Amino acid sequence: MKDFLTLEKQLCFAIYQTSSEFTKLYTSVLQTFGLTYPQYLLLLALWEKDEVTVKELGQTLNLGTGTLTPMLTRMEANGWLRKERSKTDERNVLIFLQDKARKEKQAITNKIAEEILDCHIEIEEYIQLMRGLKGLQEKLKGRT
Amino acid sequence: MKDFLTLEKQLCFAIYQTSSEFTKLYTSVLQTFGLTYPQYLLLLALWEKDEVTVKELGQTLNLGTGTLTPMLTRMEANGWLRKERSKTDERNVLIFLQDKARKEKQAITNKIAEEILDCHIEIEEYIQLMRGLKGLQEKLKGRT
DNA sequence: TATTATTGTATCGTGTACGATTTAATCTTA
DNA sequence: TAAGATTAAATCGTACACGATACAATAATA
């Protein structure tokens, strides 16, 4: 049991700090484009599927409106996207990518890829890690 | 290259969301004790080594004073710890655990262990994952 | 159809995170 | 030892993150 707690403590720090390091790497690349890491994740989601409601986006990103609304407002102000209330159901707000987001996509992802490759991360290792993370996520979610 | 970007995207989300799920699990347990997850991590560090400077704590947790100072102020107000300016070098502020933190330690860690065990996480899997995270962390750090 | 329940966003309050600046204490070294 | 450099915290501004609440639009149903 003592060992278990030590292990648990180490996992806490490992996830917390890896996530933080990861964010920092991305931040350093993204600030050239005037983007934050969460904003980049939001763009990743929109590049995959455009013209979605705030709710849909929230489900994709695991975020509530308390986080999304102000974030979307900022990104709209910066010209990445456009918000428009749905005509058919005025409760919904639809998010549309702006030209800027479509045009810069390549430049952004290329730069990211370049930096990531610079870390010499082995693909196999990468996949292993992701599998582990997803496994843990499932178990964490299942509990709730 | 196309595949690489897809993979990279998946890792982004995997780390981001696992970290978020992890935080949520801990938050649900910790709120009973009036603690947040970052505050719990801070206590973990202090239980390991008490009577440290803000700077030391920052190195352990990978946090700057912009985050720590207000956090320590809140935790002092809640009776978890005490801040005291060092007599020998008045630039340093030393952090001391309060009785409350020592007394509640067992209750807190027991409750956490209980919840984690509830997730049926295999120890082997756990260790694998951590190894992967630490490996990634090293590579991310090395780049800077 | 008038009432009630539900749904989708927005808003608010609290608590991280982090870079940049400020301030006070200590250290260097000319 | 006095001027300048360095160091440790605090402070400030911006940006998440999240629970709780508010509010307007739509759906359900009596």
Side-chain angles (χ1 to χ4, degrees):
Chain A
M1 193 56 163
K2 180 81 171 58
D3 285 347
F4 173 76
L5 278 175
T6 307
L7 200 60
E8 178 265 328
K9 180 163 70 180
Q10 286 172 355
L11 186 59
C12 282
F13 279 103
I15 295 185
Y16 183 69
Q17 290 179 356
T18 306
S19 169
S20 147
E21 287 297 328
F22 209 71
T23 303
K24 277 175 199 164
L25 168 63
Y26 274 80
T27 300
S28 76
V29 178
L30 292 168
Q31 66 186 356
T32 323
F33 301 96
L35 280 174
T36 67
Y37 182 52
Q39 288 173 8
Y40 168 69
L41 292 180
L42 198 152
L43 283 185
L44 281 181
L46 285 179
W47 282 327
E48 186 110 0
K49 186 171 188 298
D50 195 1
E51 199 168 334
V52 291
T53 66
V54 174
K55 184 188 168 75
E56 265 179 281
L57 211 45
Q59 284 163 344
T60 306
L61 300 171
N62 245 296
L63 293 173
T65 63
T67 304
L68 279 178
T69 301
M71 209 167 138
L72 290 168
T73 304
R74 277 187 292 271
M75 291 180 77
E76 183 172 38
N78 293 331
W80 295 107
L81 49 83
R82 193 165 51 80
K83 294 162 68 176
E84 192 181 316
R85 207 158 270 279
S86 164
K87 295 281 189 300
T88 57
D89 183 343
E90 293 202 9
R91 286 172 302 182
N92 291 290
V93 168
L94 293 169
I95 308 300
F96 297 84
L97 280 175
Q98 294 275 54
D99 270 358
K100 174 179 176 182
R102 276 186 288 269
K103 278 181 189 152
E104 299 238 48
K105 179 179 175 182
Q106 273 308 307
I108 296 170
T109 53
N110 283 349
K111 195 84 177 63
I112 295 274
E114 193 183 305
E115 292 293 316
I116 295 287
L117 288 171
D118 225 45
C119 296
H120 308 295
I121 297 170
E122 258 94 331
I123 295 283
E124 245 332 296
E125 205 180 333
Y126 217 96
I127 293 175
Q128 265 302 317
L129 177 55
M130 219 161 54
R131 204 169 288 149
L133 284 168
K134 283 191 177 160
L136 176 58
Q137 221 177 319
E138 282 313 307
K139 292 190 177 177
L140 292 176
K141 258 185 182 159
R143 213 196 47 86
T144 327
Chain B
M1 194 55 164
K2 180 78 170 59
D3 285 347
F4 174 76
L5 278 176
T6 307
L7 200 61
E8 178 265 327
K9 181 164 68 179
Q10 286 172 355
L11 185 61
C12 282
F13 280 102
I15 295 185
Y16 183 69
Q17 290 179 356
T18 306
S19 168
S20 144
E21 287 297 328
F22 210 71
T23 303
K24 277 175 200 163
L25 168 63
Y26 274 79
T27 300
S28 77
V29 178
L30 291 168
Q31 65 185 357
T32 324
F33 300 97
L35 280 173
T36 67
Y37 182 52
Q39 288 173 6
Y40 168 69
L41 293 179
L42 198 152
L43 283 185
L44 281 181
L46 285 179
W47 283 326
E48 187 110 0
K49 185 173 188 299
D50 196 1
E51 199 169 334
V52 292
T53 65
V54 174
K55 184 188 167 75
E56 266 178 281
L57 211 46
Q59 284 163 345
T60 307
L61 299 171
N62 246 297
L63 293 174
T65 64
T67 305
L68 279 177
T69 301
M71 208 168 140
L72 290 168
T73 304
R74 277 188 290 272
M75 291 180 78
E76 182 173 40
N78 293 332
W80 295 106
L81 49 82
R82 193 164 51 80
K83 294 162 67 176
E84 193 181 316
R85 209 159 267 281
S86 164
K87 295 281 188 298
T88 57
D89 185 344
E90 292 203 8
R91 285 172 303 181
N92 291 291
V93 168
L94 294 169
I95 308 301
F96 297 84
L97 280 174
Q98 294 274 53
D99 271 357
K100 173 179 175 181
R102 276 186 288 269
K103 278 181 188 151
E104 299 238 50
K105 178 180 176 183
Q106 272 308 306
I108 295 170
T109 52
N110 283 349
K111 195 85 178 62
I112 295 274
E114 192 183 304
E115 292 294 315
I116 296 286
L117 287 171
D118 225 45
C119 296
H120 308 295
I121 297 171
E122 258 94 333
I123 295 283
E124 244 333 294
E125 205 179 333
Y126 217 98
I127 292 174
Q128 266 302 317
L129 176 55
M130 218 161 54
R131 203 169 289 150
L133 284 168
K134 283 191 177 161
L136 176 57
Q137 220 177 319
E138 281 314 306
K139 293 189 177 178
L140 293 176
K141 258 185 181 159
R143 212 197 47 87
T144 328

PDB file of all heavy atoms in Angstrom, chain A residues 20 56 58 65 70 100 103-104 107 123 127 132:
ATOM      1  N   SER A  20       2.173  19.982 -18.892  1.00  0.00           N
ATOM      2  CA  SER A  20       2.676  21.350 -18.822  1.00  0.00           C
ATOM      3  C   SER A  20       3.832  21.583 -19.801  1.00  0.00           C
ATOM      4  O   SER A  20       3.882  22.604 -20.498  1.00  0.00           O
ATOM      5  CB  SER A  20       3.072  21.652 -17.373  1.00  0.00           C
ATOM      6  OG  SER A  20       4.171  22.519 -17.313  1.00  0.00           O
ATOM      7  N   GLU A  56     -21.396  21.165 -29.488  1.00  0.00           N
ATOM      8  CA  GLU A  56     -20.626  20.113 -30.171  1.00  0.00           C
ATOM      9  C   GLU A  56     -19.131  20.281 -29.918  1.00  0.00           C
ATOM     10  O   GLU A  56     -18.422  19.330 -29.610  1.00  0.00           O
ATOM     11  CB  GLU A  56     -20.867  20.202 -31.683  1.00  0.00           C
ATOM     12  CG  GLU A  56     -21.950  19.299 -32.237  1.00  0.00           C
ATOM     13  CD  GLU A  56     -22.115  19.507 -33.736  1.00  0.00           C
ATOM     14  OE1 GLU A  56     -22.775  20.508 -34.095  1.00  0.00           O
ATOM     15  OE2 GLU A  56     -21.587  18.705 -34.517  1.00  0.00           O
ATOM     16  N   GLY A  58     -17.774  21.780 -27.511  1.00  0.00           N
ATOM     17  CA  GLY A  58     -17.525  21.481 -26.106  1.00  0.00           C
ATOM     18  C   GLY A  58     -17.378  19.992 -25.868  1.00  0.00           C
ATOM     19  O   GLY A  58     -16.543  19.553 -25.072  1.00  0.00           O
ATOM     20  N   THR A  65     -19.180  25.882 -21.570  1.00  0.00           N
ATOM     21  CA  THR A  65     -19.320  27.221 -22.154  1.00  0.00           C
ATOM     22  C   THR A  65     -18.566  28.261 -21.325  1.00  0.00           C
ATOM     23  O   THR A  65     -18.149  29.282 -21.861  1.00  0.00           O
ATOM     24  CB  THR A  65     -20.798  27.645 -22.236  1.00  0.00           C
ATOM     25  OG1 THR A  65     -21.329  27.734 -20.913  1.00  0.00           O
ATOM     26  CG2 THR A  65     -21.600  26.665 -23.037  1.00  0.00           C
ATOM     27  N   PRO A  70     -15.823  32.754 -23.810  1.00  0.00           N
ATOM     28  CA  PRO A  70     -14.802  33.822 -23.888  1.00  0.00           C
ATOM     29  C   PRO A  70     -13.679  33.505 -24.879  1.00  0.00           C
ATOM     30  O   PRO A  70     -13.160  34.401 -25.533  1.00  0.00           O
ATOM     31  CB  PRO A  70     -14.257  33.926 -22.468  1.00  0.00           C
ATOM     32  CG  PRO A  70     -14.781  32.766 -21.712  1.00  0.00           C
ATOM     33  CD  PRO A  70     -15.936  32.219 -22.444  1.00  0.00           C
ATOM     34  N   LYS A 100      -8.610  33.274 -42.793  1.00  0.00           N
ATOM     35  CA  LYS A 100      -7.314  33.284 -42.100  1.00  0.00           C
ATOM     36  C   LYS A 100      -6.959  31.911 -41.545  1.00  0.00           C
ATOM     37  O   LYS A 100      -5.829  31.434 -41.711  1.00  0.00           O
ATOM     38  CB  LYS A 100      -7.361  34.303 -40.963  1.00  0.00           C
ATOM     39  CG  LYS A 100      -6.145  34.322 -40.066  1.00  0.00           C
ATOM     40  CD  LYS A 100      -6.295  35.394 -38.998  1.00  0.00           C
ATOM     41  CE  LYS A 100      -5.138  35.382 -38.004  1.00  0.00           C
ATOM     42  NZ  LYS A 100      -5.320  36.408 -36.947  1.00  0.00           N
ATOM     43  N   LYS A 103      -6.222  29.524 -44.436  1.00  0.00           N
ATOM     44  CA  LYS A 103      -4.975  29.855 -45.128  1.00  0.00           C
ATOM     45  C   LYS A 103      -3.735  29.515 -44.314  1.00  0.00           C
ATOM     46  O   LYS A 103      -2.734  29.064 -44.856  1.00  0.00           O
ATOM     47  CB  LYS A 103      -4.953  31.349 -45.483  1.00  0.00           C
ATOM     48  CG  LYS A 103      -5.731  31.664 -46.755  1.00  0.00           C
ATOM     49  CD  LYS A 103      -5.664  33.157 -47.076  1.00  0.00           C
ATOM     50  CE  LYS A 103      -6.609  33.512 -48.214  1.00  0.00           C
ATOM     51  NZ  LYS A 103      -7.089  34.905 -48.138  1.00  0.00           N
ATOM     52  N   GLU A 104      -3.809  29.746 -43.008  1.00  0.00           N
ATOM     53  CA  GLU A 104      -2.621  29.544 -42.166  1.00  0.00           C
ATOM     54  C   GLU A 104      -2.434  28.094 -41.737  1.00  0.00           C
ATOM     55  O   GLU A 104      -1.404  27.755 -41.171  1.00  0.00           O
ATOM     56  CB  GLU A 104      -2.705  30.450 -40.926  1.00  0.00           C
ATOM     57  CG  GLU A 104      -2.748  31.928 -41.272  1.00  0.00           C
ATOM     58  CD  GLU A 104      -1.610  32.696 -40.637  1.00  0.00           C
ATOM     59  OE1 GLU A 104      -0.454  32.214 -40.749  1.00  0.00           O
ATOM     60  OE2 GLU A 104      -1.887  33.738 -40.020  1.00  0.00           O
ATOM     61  N   ALA A 107       0.889  26.390 -42.737  1.00  0.00           N
ATOM     62  CA  ALA A 107       2.048  27.006 -42.080  1.00  0.00           C
ATOM     63  C   ALA A 107       2.127  26.590 -40.617  1.00  0.00           C
ATOM     64  O   ALA A 107       3.201  26.249 -40.108  1.00  0.00           O
ATOM     65  CB  ALA A 107       1.956  28.521 -42.194  1.00  0.00           C
ATOM     66  N   ILE A 123       8.062   6.917 -33.290  1.00  0.00           N
ATOM     67  CA  ILE A 123       6.644   6.696 -33.568  1.00  0.00           C
ATOM     68  C   ILE A 123       6.074   5.590 -32.692  1.00  0.00           C
ATOM     69  O   ILE A 123       4.999   5.728 -32.117  1.00  0.00           O
ATOM     70  CB  ILE A 123       6.430   6.333 -35.062  1.00  0.00           C
ATOM     71  CG1 ILE A 123       6.816   7.525 -35.951  1.00  0.00           C
ATOM     72  CG2 ILE A 123       4.994   5.930 -35.314  1.00  0.00           C
ATOM     73  CD1 ILE A 123       5.812   8.624 -36.014  1.00  0.00           C
ATOM     74  N   ILE A 127       2.991   5.913 -30.032  1.00  0.00           N
ATOM     75  CA  ILE A 127       1.741   5.154 -30.094  1.00  0.00           C
ATOM     76  C   ILE A 127       1.481   4.430 -28.777  1.00  0.00           C
ATOM     77  O   ILE A 127       0.370   4.428 -28.254  1.00  0.00           O
ATOM     78  CB  ILE A 127       1.791   4.143 -31.266  1.00  0.00           C
ATOM     79  CG1 ILE A 127       1.813   4.924 -32.589  1.00  0.00           C
ATOM     80  CG2 ILE A 127       0.622   3.185 -31.217  1.00  0.00           C
ATOM     81  CD1 ILE A 127       1.992   4.055 -33.817  1.00  0.00           C
ATOM     82  N   GLY A 132      -1.612   4.028 -23.697  1.00  0.00           N
ATOM     83  CA  GLY A 132      -1.647   4.057 -22.241  1.00  0.00           C
ATOM     84  C   GLY A 132      -2.541   5.164 -21.715  1.00  0.00           C
ATOM     85  O   GLY A 132      -3.347   4.959 -20.805  1.00  0.00           O
TER      86      GLY A 132
END
